Amino acid sequence: LYVGWGTQKKYCIKANFVDSSHAINICSARLWAQMVEDRNENHAVEDAPNCGAVDGFPIMIVLNGKFFGLYTFNIPKDAWTYGMGNETTEYVVTAEAETQPTYFKADAELDGSDFKLEYADDNVSLSTIKTSLNNAINSVLNTSGEGWETTVNQYVDVNSAMDYMILISLLADDDGIGHNYILTTYDGVKWWFNAYDLDATFGNHWTGSSYLSVNHERTTLLGIARTMLIMHRIYNLSKSDLIARYKYLRAGIMSEENVYETLYNFAVRIPEEVRQADFSLYPTIPGTSTETLARIMDYYRMRCKAIDAEIASMENT
C-alpha cells in the first residue's frame, strides 16, 4: 500500500484530535526512526517499516459524497511494525501507566496496570514473558557503579534507552516519561526501547488544550533521570556518553534544520482548504488557531536552547 510497508492486512486511521496540525505524531516517530537507523544496532528492525516506529500519511475520508474529516493513515501496533512474526521469543509490551515498574523501580505485573502485552506467540505463556521483563527491570535495579552497562546491556539495550531519553527531552514529551513507550525483545532476553504515541510532543499537552513551558523541568534530562531509574543510571554513570550522543544528534537528526524538513515535508500534502473543512466539521478540536508549523518550530528552537544549556552545565560539573 505504501512505500516500505509491504502488503499488510491491518492499519490504523488516526483522528489526531489533540493535534490539529496532524503532523507531530508521525514526524516525531520519523525522527525516532532516524535515530534507530543511525545507531544501526537493532538489526531486527532494519526490514521493518520506519525502523519499528509508527509511520503514516494524511488522508481525508469521504463516504457517499459526505466529508468525514482529516485523518492520518498509520501503521498499527502490530508484529509487522517491529519486524516480528518469525520466532517464539519475540514479545512487545507497552508502558500503560506511570508506575514504579514502568520507571524500572519495581517488578511488573504485566496485567495492564503497568505494562500490557501487545504481541507474543500464542504458545508462549504470560509468566514466561513477565519473567523476562522483570529480569530486565531487576538488572537496572540491582546494578550500579562503574561497568553497569556491561551487565544491564544483557537485558536492556542502554543505547536505545539513551536515545529515547534525548528524544523526549528535546520534544518535551511529558506523556512519554514512564508511559506510552514500547519495549520489544527478539530473543526473549534483551529488551529495546521504542518511542510511541507521540502526539504530546513539541510541548503539546496530552489533551491538546495547552502548551508546556519551554523550560519544563520534568522533561529535562535531569527531570527524566529523577523519574526513571534506567535514565538515572545513564545520567549519572554514563554522562560522557550521554553528552556525546546528544551533541551528535543535535548536529544532525535533531537539528532545527532536519526537524523543519521532517515537519514541512509531511504537512505539505495537507491542503489548507481540507484543514479548514475539518475545523468546521469538528469545531471543538483544540489548538485550531494556534497549532501551526510555525508554533511547533518556534517551540523547538526555544526548547533546544534550554536543553543545550543543560548539556553545557553538565559538562562543567
Side-chain angles (χ1 to χ4, degrees), residues 165 169-170 216-226 235 239 242-243 246 303-317:
M165 182 182 188
S169 180
L170 278 169
H216 187 248
E217 291 187 5
R218 188 170 182 264
T219 51
T220 61
L221 296 168
L222 178 58
I224 298 167
R226 285 172 172 164
Y235 186 93
K239 183 176 290 188
L242 175 61
I243 291 171
Y246 178 89
R303 183 64 178 174
C304 285
K305 289 181 180 179
I307 308 304
D308 286 353
E310 181 183 16
I311 286 289
S313 178
M314 290 170 63
E315 288 184 294
N316 295 323
T317 58

Side-chain angles (χ1 to χ4, degrees), residues 103-174:
Y103 295 153
F104 277 70
K105 293 180 178 179
D107 281 355
E109 293 298 326
L110 192 54
D111 59 1
S113 65
D114 40 49
F115 291 96
K116 175 186 175 184
L117 179 64
E118 291 290 345
Y119 171 78
D121 187 279
D122 291 339
N123 295 316
V124 179
S125 68
L126 187 65
S127 62
T128 296
I129 302 166
K130 181 178 173 180
T131 296
S132 174
L133 178 61
N134 284 329
N135 286 342
I137 291 171
N138 279 284
S139 73
V140 177
L141 265 170
N142 300 326
T143 307
S144 62
E146 187 176 350
W148 78 282
E149 285 188 30
T150 302
T151 299
V152 171
N153 255 324
Q154 299 175 64
Y155 303 96
V156 186
D157 185 75
V158 174
N159 283 341
S160 67
M162 182 184 296
D163 280 359
Y164 182 73
M165 182 182 188
I166 293 170
L167 180 83
I168 62 175
S169 180
L170 278 169
L171 299 185
D173 180 16
D174 184 73

Side-chain angles (χ1 to χ4, degrees), residues 28-48:
S28 297
R30 287 180 178 177
L31 293 170
W32 170 254
Q34 291 174 47
M35 293 166 72
V36 173
E37 185 175 30
D38 178 77
R39 283 283 193 187
N40 194 31
E41 293 173 350
N42 185 357
H43 299 301
V45 298
E46 287 181 350
D47 296 327

Side-chain angles (χ1 to χ4, degrees), residues 229-247:
L229 185 59
I230 188 168
M231 309 309 185
H232 183 272
R233 299 281 191 254
I234 292 170
Y235 186 93
N236 288 284
L237 302 175
S238 300
K239 183 176 290 188
S240 59
D241 291 340
L242 175 61
I243 291 171
R245 180 63 173 170
Y246 178 89
K247 287 186 168 183

